[in-house]
Amino acid sequence: STIACALEQHLLHLKKFTYRLDGDNIRFGLNKDLGFSEKDRNENIRRIGEVAKLFSDAAAITITAFISPYKADRSIARELHIGGNIPFVEVFVDAPLEVVEARDPKGLYKKARAGEIKEFTGISAPYEAPDAPEIHIRTDTQDLTESVRTIVQYLTENNYI
């Protein structure tokens, strides 16, 4: 979410019509009826894909900041956009698990390791890394500014902005 927020602010500064979807504006509203089972995670990403498509169809640069643990769900979101002739750019924000756990401001990984949170991605639920994302950000080697620069460079080079 940190990279998505910074990217959104950068694009808005460039006067680009941009909207960011993340857990705060999706999980507590549209998807508040969903939990974290595999079925609910599938439905969460399906709904996000549909909403992102609507925003993109309205010419917004739509940023989605979600843990999408299953390749099949990401593939469905991609096909949904491609089927609507809407570009889809997958950004794999990647860091070793120990780095992510060390950065965990809410203490969720600690709770998951203690068994207090079930079906937690990377601990008690799987994560299937993308095979060929358009952009691969390594947050253990790239800082926030470099991460945003990498994404903006890709968007510029591919005439999305």
PDB file of all heavy atoms in Angstrom, residues 11-48:
ATOM      1  N   LEU A  11       1.170  10.428  -9.650  1.00  0.00           N
ATOM      2  CA  LEU A  11       0.354  10.540 -10.857  1.00  0.00           C
ATOM      3  C   LEU A  11      -0.646  11.690 -10.755  1.00  0.00           C
ATOM      4  O   LEU A  11      -0.884  12.408 -11.736  1.00  0.00           O
ATOM      5  CB  LEU A  11      -0.358   9.220 -11.148  1.00  0.00           C
ATOM      6  CG  LEU A  11       0.559   8.058 -11.531  1.00  0.00           C
ATOM      7  CD1 LEU A  11      -0.231   6.759 -11.623  1.00  0.00           C
ATOM      8  CD2 LEU A  11       1.312   8.334 -12.817  1.00  0.00           C
ATOM      9  N   LEU A  12      -1.216  11.888  -9.578  1.00  0.00           N
ATOM     10  CA  LEU A  12      -2.122  13.024  -9.385  1.00  0.00           C
ATOM     11  C   LEU A  12      -1.376  14.346  -9.555  1.00  0.00           C
ATOM     12  O   LEU A  12      -1.902  15.287 -10.151  1.00  0.00           O
ATOM     13  CB  LEU A  12      -2.791  12.951  -8.010  1.00  0.00           C
ATOM     14  CG  LEU A  12      -3.829  11.835  -7.837  1.00  0.00           C
ATOM     15  CD1 LEU A  12      -4.243  11.707  -6.376  1.00  0.00           C
ATOM     16  CD2 LEU A  12      -5.042  12.062  -8.737  1.00  0.00           C
ATOM     17  N   HIS A  13      -0.150  14.402  -9.061  1.00  0.00           N
ATOM     18  CA  HIS A  13       0.691  15.594  -9.234  1.00  0.00           C
ATOM     19  C   HIS A  13       0.940  15.877 -10.721  1.00  0.00           C
ATOM     20  O   HIS A  13       1.029  17.033 -11.132  1.00  0.00           O
ATOM     21  CB  HIS A  13       2.015  15.413  -8.487  1.00  0.00           C
ATOM     22  CG  HIS A  13       2.923  16.582  -8.588  1.00  0.00           C
ATOM     23  ND1 HIS A  13       2.715  17.754  -7.893  1.00  0.00           N
ATOM     24  CD2 HIS A  13       4.043  16.779  -9.328  1.00  0.00           C
ATOM     25  CE1 HIS A  13       3.665  18.626  -8.202  1.00  0.00           C
ATOM     26  NE2 HIS A  13       4.495  18.050  -9.064  1.00  0.00           N
ATOM     27  N   LEU A  14       1.014  14.809 -11.509  1.00  0.00           N
ATOM     28  CA  LEU A  14       1.184  14.948 -12.962  1.00  0.00           C
ATOM     29  C   LEU A  14      -0.149  15.241 -13.660  1.00  0.00           C
ATOM     30  O   LEU A  14      -0.210  15.273 -14.884  1.00  0.00           O
ATOM     31  CB  LEU A  14       1.789  13.660 -13.553  1.00  0.00           C
ATOM     32  CG  LEU A  14       3.206  13.310 -13.127  1.00  0.00           C
ATOM     33  CD1 LEU A  14       3.612  11.961 -13.723  1.00  0.00           C
ATOM     34  CD2 LEU A  14       4.188  14.398 -13.530  1.00  0.00           C
ATOM     35  N   LYS A  15      -1.208  15.437 -12.856  1.00  0.00           N
ATOM     36  CA  LYS A  15      -2.552  15.739 -13.379  1.00  0.00           C
ATOM     37  C   LYS A  15      -3.173  14.561 -14.123  1.00  0.00           C
ATOM     38  O   LYS A  15      -3.937  14.733 -15.065  1.00  0.00           O
ATOM     39  CB  LYS A  15      -2.543  16.978 -14.281  1.00  0.00           C
ATOM     40  CG  LYS A  15      -1.895  18.198 -13.671  1.00  0.00           C
ATOM     41  CD  LYS A  15      -2.831  18.901 -12.726  1.00  0.00           C
ATOM     42  CE  LYS A  15      -2.271  20.260 -12.330  1.00  0.00           C
ATOM     43  NZ  LYS A  15      -1.904  20.347 -10.945  1.00  0.00           N
ATOM     44  N   LYS A  16      -2.840  13.343 -13.695  1.00  0.00           N
ATOM     45  CA  LYS A  16      -3.407  12.132 -14.279  1.00  0.00           C
ATOM     46  C   LYS A  16      -4.600  11.699 -13.432  1.00  0.00           C
ATOM     47  O   LYS A  16      -4.528  11.665 -12.202  1.00  0.00           O
ATOM     48  CB  LYS A  16      -2.380  11.000 -14.347  1.00  0.00           C
ATOM     49  CG  LYS A  16      -1.125  11.341 -15.136  1.00  0.00           C
ATOM     50  CD  LYS A  16      -1.429  11.637 -16.575  1.00  0.00           C
ATOM     51  CE  LYS A  16      -0.173  11.955 -17.349  1.00  0.00           C
ATOM     52  NZ  LYS A  16      -0.472  12.389 -18.710  1.00  0.00           N
ATOM     53  N   PHE A  17      -5.692  11.345 -14.080  1.00  0.00           N
ATOM     54  CA  PHE A  17      -6.890  10.858 -13.409  1.00  0.00           C
ATOM     55  C   PHE A  17      -6.569   9.469 -12.858  1.00  0.00           C
ATOM     56  O   PHE A  17      -6.417   8.503 -13.614  1.00  0.00           O
ATOM     57  CB  PHE A  17      -8.045  10.825 -14.408  1.00  0.00           C
ATOM     58  CG  PHE A  17      -9.337  10.257 -13.888  1.00  0.00           C
ATOM     59  CD1 PHE A  17      -9.770  10.473 -12.588  1.00  0.00           C
ATOM     60  CD2 PHE A  17     -10.159   9.519 -14.733  1.00  0.00           C
ATOM     61  CE1 PHE A  17     -10.967   9.958 -12.121  1.00  0.00           C
ATOM     62  CE2 PHE A  17     -11.369   8.994 -14.286  1.00  0.00           C
ATOM     63  CZ  PHE A  17     -11.774   9.214 -12.980  1.00  0.00           C
ATOM     64  N   THR A  18      -6.431   9.396 -11.553  1.00  0.00           N
ATOM     65  CA  THR A  18      -5.934   8.187 -10.900  1.00  0.00           C
ATOM     66  C   THR A  18      -6.801   7.849  -9.697  1.00  0.00           C
ATOM     67  O   THR A  18      -7.248   8.739  -8.979  1.00  0.00           O
ATOM     68  CB  THR A  18      -4.478   8.408 -10.427  1.00  0.00           C
ATOM     69  OG1 THR A  18      -3.688   8.854 -11.527  1.00  0.00           O
ATOM     70  CG2 THR A  18      -3.885   7.153  -9.838  1.00  0.00           C
ATOM     71  N   TYR A  19      -7.012   6.554  -9.467  1.00  0.00           N
ATOM     72  CA  TYR A  19      -7.708   6.114  -8.264  1.00  0.00           C
ATOM     73  C   TYR A  19      -7.055   4.846  -7.739  1.00  0.00           C
ATOM     74  O   TYR A  19      -6.716   3.951  -8.509  1.00  0.00           O
ATOM     75  CB  TYR A  19      -9.200   5.856  -8.522  1.00  0.00           C
ATOM     76  CG  TYR A  19      -9.967   5.722  -7.234  1.00  0.00           C
ATOM     77  CD1 TYR A  19     -10.307   6.854  -6.494  1.00  0.00           C
ATOM     78  CD2 TYR A  19     -10.299   4.481  -6.729  1.00  0.00           C
ATOM     79  CE1 TYR A  19     -10.979   6.741  -5.285  1.00  0.00           C
ATOM     80  CE2 TYR A  19     -10.967   4.351  -5.526  1.00  0.00           C
ATOM     81  CZ  TYR A  19     -11.310   5.491  -4.810  1.00  0.00           C
ATOM     82  OH  TYR A  19     -11.958   5.366  -3.606  1.00  0.00           O
ATOM     83  N   ARG A  20      -6.888   4.788  -6.425  1.00  0.00           N
ATOM     84  CA  ARG A  20      -6.253   3.645  -5.771  1.00  0.00           C
ATOM     85  C   ARG A  20      -7.298   2.857  -4.998  1.00  0.00           C
ATOM     86  O   ARG A  20      -8.042   3.389  -4.195  1.00  0.00           O
ATOM     87  CB  ARG A  20      -5.165   4.138  -4.817  1.00  0.00           C
ATOM     88  CG  ARG A  20      -4.526   3.055  -3.968  1.00  0.00           C
ATOM     89  CD  ARG A  20      -3.465   3.635  -3.029  1.00  0.00           C
ATOM     90  NE  ARG A  20      -3.839   4.892  -2.424  1.00  0.00           N
ATOM     91  CZ  ARG A  20      -4.529   5.025  -1.286  1.00  0.00           C
ATOM     92  NH1 ARG A  20      -4.920   3.945  -0.633  1.00  0.00           N
ATOM     93  NH2 ARG A  20      -4.814   6.218  -0.810  1.00  0.00           N
ATOM     94  N   LEU A  21      -7.320   1.559  -5.265  1.00  0.00           N
ATOM     95  CA  LEU A  21      -8.151   0.631  -4.507  1.00  0.00           C
ATOM     96  C   LEU A  21      -7.226  -0.140  -3.572  1.00  0.00           C
ATOM     97  O   LEU A  21      -6.206  -0.660  -3.996  1.00  0.00           O
ATOM     98  CB  LEU A  21      -8.854  -0.349  -5.449  1.00  0.00           C
ATOM     99  CG  LEU A  21      -9.794   0.247  -6.488  1.00  0.00           C
ATOM    100  CD1 LEU A  21     -10.191  -0.818  -7.514  1.00  0.00           C
ATOM    101  CD2 LEU A  21     -11.022   0.826  -5.818  1.00  0.00           C
ATOM    102  N   ASP A  22      -7.590  -0.197  -2.289  1.00  0.00           N
ATOM    103  CA  ASP A  22      -6.789  -0.965  -1.341  1.00  0.00           C
ATOM    104  C   ASP A  22      -7.692  -1.533  -0.252  1.00  0.00           C
ATOM    105  O   ASP A  22      -8.902  -1.352  -0.291  1.00  0.00           O
ATOM    106  CB  ASP A  22      -5.637  -0.132  -0.769  1.00  0.00           C
ATOM    107  CG  ASP A  22      -6.093   1.064   0.055  1.00  0.00           C
ATOM    108  OD1 ASP A  22      -7.263   1.101   0.514  1.00  0.00           O
ATOM    109  OD2 ASP A  22      -5.282   1.978   0.255  1.00  0.00           O
ATOM    110  N   GLY A  23      -7.081  -2.200   0.682  1.00  0.00           N
ATOM    111  CA  GLY A  23      -7.857  -2.853   1.734  1.00  0.00           C
ATOM    112  C   GLY A  23      -8.737  -1.907   2.521  1.00  0.00           C
ATOM    113  O   GLY A  23      -9.834  -2.282   2.939  1.00  0.00           O
ATOM    114  N   ASP A  24      -8.280  -0.678   2.707  1.00  0.00           N
ATOM    115  CA  ASP A  24      -9.065   0.264   3.500  1.00  0.00           C
ATOM    116  C   ASP A  24     -10.363   0.660   2.813  1.00  0.00           C
ATOM    117  O   ASP A  24     -11.388   0.839   3.472  1.00  0.00           O
ATOM    118  CB  ASP A  24      -8.249   1.522   3.813  1.00  0.00           C
ATOM    119  CG  ASP A  24      -7.130   1.253   4.805  1.00  0.00           C
ATOM    120  OD1 ASP A  24      -7.232   0.259   5.564  1.00  0.00           O
ATOM    121  OD2 ASP A  24      -6.155   2.021   4.822  1.00  0.00           O
ATOM    122  N   ASN A  25     -10.355   0.819   1.504  1.00  0.00           N
ATOM    123  CA  ASN A  25     -11.596   1.243   0.853  1.00  0.00           C
ATOM    124  C   ASN A  25     -12.376   0.092   0.218  1.00  0.00           C
ATOM    125  O   ASN A  25     -13.470   0.306  -0.273  1.00  0.00           O
ATOM    126  CB  ASN A  25     -11.352   2.378  -0.158  1.00  0.00           C
ATOM    127  CG  ASN A  25     -10.418   2.024  -1.288  1.00  0.00           C
ATOM    128  OD1 ASN A  25     -10.123   0.868  -1.556  1.00  0.00           O
ATOM    129  ND2 ASN A  25      -9.922   3.044  -1.963  1.00  0.00           N
ATOM    130  N   ILE A  26     -11.863  -1.118   0.277  1.00  0.00           N
ATOM    131  CA  ILE A  26     -12.578  -2.274  -0.286  1.00  0.00           C
ATOM    132  C   ILE A  26     -13.014  -3.248   0.812  1.00  0.00           C
ATOM    133  O   ILE A  26     -14.181  -3.603   0.906  1.00  0.00           O
ATOM    134  CB  ILE A  26     -11.715  -3.007  -1.340  1.00  0.00           C
ATOM    135  CG1 ILE A  26     -11.475  -2.116  -2.562  1.00  0.00           C
ATOM    136  CG2 ILE A  26     -12.368  -4.320  -1.751  1.00  0.00           C
ATOM    137  CD1 ILE A  26     -12.710  -1.827  -3.396  1.00  0.00           C
ATOM    138  N   ARG A  27     -12.090  -3.646   1.658  1.00  0.00           N
ATOM    139  CA  ARG A  27     -12.399  -4.663   2.681  1.00  0.00           C
ATOM    140  C   ARG A  27     -13.421  -4.180   3.703  1.00  0.00           C
ATOM    141  O   ARG A  27     -14.141  -4.982   4.295  1.00  0.00           O
ATOM    142  CB  ARG A  27     -11.122  -5.086   3.420  1.00  0.00           C
ATOM    143  CG  ARG A  27     -10.390  -6.219   2.765  1.00  0.00           C
ATOM    144  CD  ARG A  27     -11.062  -7.539   3.024  1.00  0.00           C
ATOM    145  NE  ARG A  27     -10.299  -8.632   2.464  1.00  0.00           N
ATOM    146  CZ  ARG A  27     -10.750  -9.868   2.416  1.00  0.00           C
ATOM    147  NH1 ARG A  27     -11.928 -10.182   2.892  1.00  0.00           N
ATOM    148  NH2 ARG A  27     -10.021 -10.810   1.898  1.00  0.00           N
ATOM    149  N   PHE A  28     -13.505  -2.867   3.930  1.00  0.00           N
ATOM    150  CA  PHE A  28     -14.438  -2.357   4.935  1.00  0.00           C
ATOM    151  C   PHE A  28     -15.729  -1.837   4.315  1.00  0.00           C
ATOM    152  O   PHE A  28     -16.570  -1.275   4.996  1.00  0.00           O
ATOM    153  CB  PHE A  28     -13.762  -1.277   5.780  1.00  0.00           C
ATOM    154  CG  PHE A  28     -12.555  -1.803   6.506  1.00  0.00           C
ATOM    155  CD1 PHE A  28     -11.284  -1.411   6.134  1.00  0.00           C
ATOM    156  CD2 PHE A  28     -12.692  -2.721   7.530  1.00  0.00           C
ATOM    157  CE1 PHE A  28     -10.168  -1.917   6.784  1.00  0.00           C
ATOM    158  CE2 PHE A  28     -11.593  -3.235   8.182  1.00  0.00           C
ATOM    159  CZ  PHE A  28     -10.326  -2.828   7.814  1.00  0.00           C
ATOM    160  N   GLY A  29     -15.890  -2.027   3.021  1.00  0.00           N
ATOM    161  CA  GLY A  29     -17.091  -1.582   2.323  1.00  0.00           C
ATOM    162  C   GLY A  29     -17.607  -2.682   1.432  1.00  0.00           C
ATOM    163  O   GLY A  29     -18.280  -3.615   1.888  1.00  0.00           O
ATOM    164  N   LEU A  30     -17.245  -2.616   0.170  1.00  0.00           N
ATOM    165  CA  LEU A  30     -17.715  -3.569  -0.838  1.00  0.00           C
ATOM    166  C   LEU A  30     -17.517  -5.025  -0.413  1.00  0.00           C
ATOM    167  O   LEU A  30     -18.381  -5.867  -0.633  1.00  0.00           O
ATOM    168  CB  LEU A  30     -16.988  -3.308  -2.169  1.00  0.00           C
ATOM    169  CG  LEU A  30     -17.303  -4.246  -3.321  1.00  0.00           C
ATOM    170  CD1 LEU A  30     -18.737  -4.051  -3.792  1.00  0.00           C
ATOM    171  CD2 LEU A  30     -16.331  -4.001  -4.468  1.00  0.00           C
ATOM    172  N   ASN A  31     -16.388  -5.325   0.201  1.00  0.00           N
ATOM    173  CA  ASN A  31     -16.066  -6.715   0.528  1.00  0.00           C
ATOM    174  C   ASN A  31     -16.110  -7.023   2.022  1.00  0.00           C
ATOM    175  O   ASN A  31     -15.492  -7.971   2.482  1.00  0.00           O
ATOM    176  CB  ASN A  31     -14.696  -7.076  -0.049  1.00  0.00           C
ATOM    177  CG  ASN A  31     -14.727  -7.140  -1.557  1.00  0.00           C
ATOM    178  OD1 ASN A  31     -15.788  -7.090  -2.166  1.00  0.00           O
ATOM    179  ND2 ASN A  31     -13.569  -7.244  -2.167  1.00  0.00           N
ATOM    180  N   LYS A  32     -16.890  -6.248   2.772  1.00  0.00           N
ATOM    181  CA  LYS A  32     -16.939  -6.473   4.224  1.00  0.00           C
ATOM    182  C   LYS A  32     -17.589  -7.798   4.602  1.00  0.00           C
ATOM    183  O   LYS A  32     -17.418  -8.268   5.711  1.00  0.00           O
ATOM    184  CB  LYS A  32     -17.627  -5.310   4.935  1.00  0.00           C
ATOM    185  CG  LYS A  32     -19.103  -5.166   4.664  1.00  0.00           C
ATOM    186  CD  LYS A  32     -19.661  -3.961   5.392  1.00  0.00           C
ATOM    187  CE  LYS A  32     -21.119  -3.766   5.034  1.00  0.00           C
ATOM    188  NZ  LYS A  32     -21.642  -2.554   5.656  1.00  0.00           N
ATOM    189  N   ASP A  33     -18.282  -8.422   3.642  1.00  0.00           N
ATOM    190  CA  ASP A  33     -18.922  -9.709   3.904  1.00  0.00           C
ATOM    191  C   ASP A  33     -17.978 -10.896   3.692  1.00  0.00           C
ATOM    192  O   ASP A  33     -18.372 -12.037   3.891  1.00  0.00           O
ATOM    193  CB  ASP A  33     -20.159  -9.875   3.014  1.00  0.00           C
ATOM    194  CG  ASP A  33     -19.832  -9.857   1.527  1.00  0.00           C
ATOM    195  OD1 ASP A  33     -18.981  -9.042   1.105  1.00  0.00           O
ATOM    196  OD2 ASP A  33     -20.438 -10.640   0.773  1.00  0.00           O
ATOM    197  N   LEU A  34     -16.726 -10.603   3.300  1.00  0.00           N
ATOM    198  CA  LEU A  34     -15.785 -11.682   2.991  1.00  0.00           C
ATOM    199  C   LEU A  34     -14.762 -11.870   4.103  1.00  0.00           C
ATOM    200  O   LEU A  34     -14.310 -10.911   4.720  1.00  0.00           O
ATOM    201  CB  LEU A  34     -15.048 -11.375   1.679  1.00  0.00           C
ATOM    202  CG  LEU A  34     -15.932 -11.230   0.442  1.00  0.00           C
ATOM    203  CD1 LEU A  34     -15.083 -10.833  -0.757  1.00  0.00           C
ATOM    204  CD2 LEU A  34     -16.707 -12.510   0.169  1.00  0.00           C
ATOM    205  N   GLY A  35     -14.372 -13.116   4.291  1.00  0.00           N
ATOM    206  CA  GLY A  35     -13.310 -13.438   5.247  1.00  0.00           C
ATOM    207  C   GLY A  35     -12.022 -13.717   4.499  1.00  0.00           C
ATOM    208  O   GLY A  35     -11.754 -13.127   3.449  1.00  0.00           O
ATOM    209  N   PHE A  36     -11.237 -14.662   5.008  1.00  0.00           N
ATOM    210  CA  PHE A  36      -9.933 -14.942   4.422  1.00  0.00           C
ATOM    211  C   PHE A  36      -9.768 -16.394   3.987  1.00  0.00           C
ATOM    212  O   PHE A  36      -8.656 -16.846   3.750  1.00  0.00           O
ATOM    213  CB  PHE A  36      -8.815 -14.530   5.391  1.00  0.00           C
ATOM    214  CG  PHE A  36      -8.751 -13.042   5.566  1.00  0.00           C
ATOM    215  CD1 PHE A  36      -9.428 -12.421   6.602  1.00  0.00           C
ATOM    216  CD2 PHE A  36      -8.055 -12.256   4.661  1.00  0.00           C
ATOM    217  CE1 PHE A  36      -9.390 -11.047   6.744  1.00  0.00           C
ATOM    218  CE2 PHE A  36      -8.009 -10.884   4.792  1.00  0.00           C
ATOM    219  CZ  PHE A  36      -8.680 -10.270   5.835  1.00  0.00           C
ATOM    220  N   SER A  37     -10.881 -17.104   3.843  1.00  0.00           N
ATOM    221  CA  SER A  37     -10.803 -18.461   3.300  1.00  0.00           C
ATOM    222  C   SER A  37     -10.375 -18.353   1.841  1.00  0.00           C
ATOM    223  O   SER A  37     -10.442 -17.276   1.234  1.00  0.00           O
ATOM    224  CB  SER A  37     -12.163 -19.154   3.391  1.00  0.00           C
ATOM    225  OG  SER A  37     -13.077 -18.539   2.481  1.00  0.00           O
ATOM    226  N   GLU A  38      -9.963 -19.459   1.254  1.00  0.00           N
ATOM    227  CA  GLU A  38      -9.561 -19.433  -0.155  1.00  0.00           C
ATOM    228  C   GLU A  38     -10.716 -18.945  -1.033  1.00  0.00           C
ATOM    229  O   GLU A  38     -10.532 -18.120  -1.929  1.00  0.00           O
ATOM    230  CB  GLU A  38      -9.080 -20.813  -0.619  1.00  0.00           C
ATOM    231  CG  GLU A  38      -8.613 -20.799  -2.062  1.00  0.00           C
ATOM    232  CD  GLU A  38      -8.008 -22.108  -2.529  1.00  0.00           C
ATOM    233  OE1 GLU A  38      -7.710 -22.985  -1.694  1.00  0.00           O
ATOM    234  OE2 GLU A  38      -7.828 -22.248  -3.749  1.00  0.00           O
ATOM    235  N   LYS A  39     -11.908 -19.428  -0.759  1.00  0.00           N
ATOM    236  CA  LYS A  39     -13.089 -19.019  -1.538  1.00  0.00           C
ATOM    237  C   LYS A  39     -13.321 -17.511  -1.418  1.00  0.00           C
ATOM    238  O   LYS A  39     -13.587 -16.831  -2.410  1.00  0.00           O
ATOM    239  CB  LYS A  39     -14.315 -19.799  -1.061  1.00  0.00           C
ATOM    240  CG  LYS A  39     -15.583 -19.464  -1.804  1.00  0.00           C
ATOM    241  CD  LYS A  39     -16.761 -20.264  -1.256  1.00  0.00           C
ATOM    242  CE  LYS A  39     -18.048 -19.808  -1.914  1.00  0.00           C
ATOM    243  NZ  LYS A  39     -19.226 -20.409  -1.317  1.00  0.00           N
ATOM    244  N   ASP A  40     -13.237 -16.989  -0.202  1.00  0.00           N
ATOM    245  CA  ASP A  40     -13.448 -15.552   0.006  1.00  0.00           C
ATOM    246  C   ASP A  40     -12.331 -14.723  -0.618  1.00  0.00           C
ATOM    247  O   ASP A  40     -12.580 -13.647  -1.163  1.00  0.00           O
ATOM    248  CB  ASP A  40     -13.560 -15.234   1.496  1.00  0.00           C
ATOM    249  CG  ASP A  40     -14.928 -15.609   2.079  1.00  0.00           C
ATOM    250  OD1 ASP A  40     -15.822 -16.009   1.308  1.00  0.00           O
ATOM    251  OD2 ASP A  40     -15.089 -15.480   3.308  1.00  0.00           O
ATOM    252  N   ARG A  41     -11.103 -15.212  -0.573  1.00  0.00           N
ATOM    253  CA  ARG A  41      -9.999 -14.501  -1.225  1.00  0.00           C
ATOM    254  C   ARG A  41     -10.211 -14.451  -2.734  1.00  0.00           C
ATOM    255  O   ARG A  41      -9.966 -13.433  -3.369  1.00  0.00           O
ATOM    256  CB  ARG A  41      -8.655 -15.172  -0.909  1.00  0.00           C
ATOM    257  CG  ARG A  41      -8.196 -14.945   0.514  1.00  0.00           C
ATOM    258  CD  ARG A  41      -6.959 -15.802   0.791  1.00  0.00           C
ATOM    259  NE  ARG A  41      -6.545 -15.709   2.156  1.00  0.00           N
ATOM    260  CZ  ARG A  41      -5.593 -14.917   2.610  1.00  0.00           C
ATOM    261  NH1 ARG A  41      -4.947 -14.123   1.795  1.00  0.00           N
ATOM    262  NH2 ARG A  41      -5.269 -14.893   3.879  1.00  0.00           N
ATOM    263  N   ASN A  42     -10.691 -15.555  -3.296  1.00  0.00           N
ATOM    264  CA  ASN A  42     -10.996 -15.594  -4.733  1.00  0.00           C
ATOM    265  C   ASN A  42     -12.041 -14.535  -5.081  1.00  0.00           C
ATOM    266  O   ASN A  42     -11.884 -13.778  -6.042  1.00  0.00           O
ATOM    267  CB  ASN A  42     -11.511 -16.970  -5.166  1.00  0.00           C
ATOM    268  CG  ASN A  42     -10.537 -18.104  -4.982  1.00  0.00           C
ATOM    269  OD1 ASN A  42     -10.937 -19.241  -4.766  1.00  0.00           O
ATOM    270  ND2 ASN A  42      -9.247 -17.841  -5.057  1.00  0.00           N
ATOM    271  N   GLU A  43     -13.099 -14.495  -4.297  1.00  0.00           N
ATOM    272  CA  GLU A  43     -14.176 -13.540  -4.545  1.00  0.00           C
ATOM    273  C   GLU A  43     -13.708 -12.099  -4.320  1.00  0.00           C
ATOM    274  O   GLU A  43     -14.100 -11.188  -5.058  1.00  0.00           O
ATOM    275  CB  GLU A  43     -15.390 -13.856  -3.661  1.00  0.00           C
ATOM    276  CG  GLU A  43     -16.563 -12.909  -3.836  1.00  0.00           C
ATOM    277  CD  GLU A  43     -17.163 -12.863  -5.233  1.00  0.00           C
ATOM    278  OE1 GLU A  43     -16.863 -13.746  -6.079  1.00  0.00           O
ATOM    279  OE2 GLU A  43     -17.947 -11.932  -5.511  1.00  0.00           O
ATOM    280  N   ASN A  44     -12.873 -11.886  -3.330  1.00  0.00           N
ATOM    281  CA  ASN A  44     -12.311 -10.554  -3.065  1.00  0.00           C
ATOM    282  C   ASN A  44     -11.581 -10.034  -4.306  1.00  0.00           C
ATOM    283  O   ASN A  44     -11.843  -8.918  -4.779  1.00  0.00           O
ATOM    284  CB  ASN A  44     -11.358 -10.635  -1.865  1.00  0.00           C
ATOM    285  CG  ASN A  44     -10.773  -9.300  -1.476  1.00  0.00           C
ATOM    286  OD1 ASN A  44     -11.479  -8.330  -1.262  1.00  0.00           O
ATOM    287  ND2 ASN A  44      -9.454  -9.259  -1.368  1.00  0.00           N
ATOM    288  N   ILE A  45     -10.698 -10.843  -4.861  1.00  0.00           N
ATOM    289  CA  ILE A  45      -9.923 -10.418  -6.033  1.00  0.00           C
ATOM    290  C   ILE A  45     -10.821 -10.296  -7.261  1.00  0.00           C
ATOM    291  O   ILE A  45     -10.649  -9.386  -8.079  1.00  0.00           O
ATOM    292  CB  ILE A  45      -8.736 -11.380  -6.276  1.00  0.00           C
ATOM    293  CG1 ILE A  45      -7.767 -11.341  -5.081  1.00  0.00           C
ATOM    294  CG2 ILE A  45      -8.010 -11.046  -7.579  1.00  0.00           C
ATOM    295  CD1 ILE A  45      -7.212  -9.958  -4.735  1.00  0.00           C
ATOM    296  N   ARG A  46     -11.825 -11.169  -7.393  1.00  0.00           N
ATOM    297  CA  ARG A  46     -12.753 -11.055  -8.522  1.00  0.00           C
ATOM    298  C   ARG A  46     -13.482  -9.713  -8.487  1.00  0.00           C
ATOM    299  O   ARG A  46     -13.556  -9.001  -9.490  1.00  0.00           O
ATOM    300  CB  ARG A  46     -13.768 -12.201  -8.511  1.00  0.00           C
ATOM    301  CG  ARG A  46     -14.641 -12.230  -9.786  1.00  0.00           C
ATOM    302  CD  ARG A  46     -15.896 -13.075  -9.596  1.00  0.00           C
ATOM    303  NE  ARG A  46     -16.831 -12.479  -8.664  1.00  0.00           N
ATOM    304  CZ  ARG A  46     -17.631 -11.448  -8.956  1.00  0.00           C
ATOM    305  NH1 ARG A  46     -17.602 -10.875 -10.136  1.00  0.00           N
ATOM    306  NH2 ARG A  46     -18.465 -10.979  -8.049  1.00  0.00           N
ATOM    307  N   ARG A  47     -13.995  -9.356  -7.311  1.00  0.00           N
ATOM    308  CA  ARG A  47     -14.712  -8.081  -7.181  1.00  0.00           C
ATOM    309  C   ARG A  47     -13.773  -6.894  -7.446  1.00  0.00           C
ATOM    310  O   ARG A  47     -14.164  -5.935  -8.104  1.00  0.00           O
ATOM    311  CB  ARG A  47     -15.318  -7.947  -5.791  1.00  0.00           C
ATOM    312  CG  ARG A  47     -16.479  -8.871  -5.536  1.00  0.00           C
ATOM    313  CD  ARG A  47     -17.030  -8.670  -4.138  1.00  0.00           C
ATOM    314  NE  ARG A  47     -17.957  -9.707  -3.750  1.00  0.00           N
ATOM    315  CZ  ARG A  47     -18.543  -9.774  -2.551  1.00  0.00           C
ATOM    316  NH1 ARG A  47     -18.296  -8.842  -1.641  1.00  0.00           N
ATOM    317  NH2 ARG A  47     -19.371 -10.762  -2.280  1.00  0.00           N
ATOM    318  N   ILE A  48     -12.563  -6.973  -6.916  1.00  0.00           N
ATOM    319  CA  ILE A  48     -11.595  -5.896  -7.142  1.00  0.00           C
ATOM    320  C   ILE A  48     -11.313  -5.745  -8.633  1.00  0.00           C
ATOM    321  O   ILE A  48     -11.258  -4.629  -9.151  1.00  0.00           O
ATOM    322  CB  ILE A  48     -10.296  -6.170  -6.349  1.00  0.00           C
ATOM    323  CG1 ILE A  48     -10.560  -6.049  -4.858  1.00  0.00           C
ATOM    324  CG2 ILE A  48      -9.172  -5.231  -6.795  1.00  0.00           C
ATOM    325  CD1 ILE A  48      -9.518  -6.710  -3.990  1.00  0.00           C
TER     326      ILE A  48
END
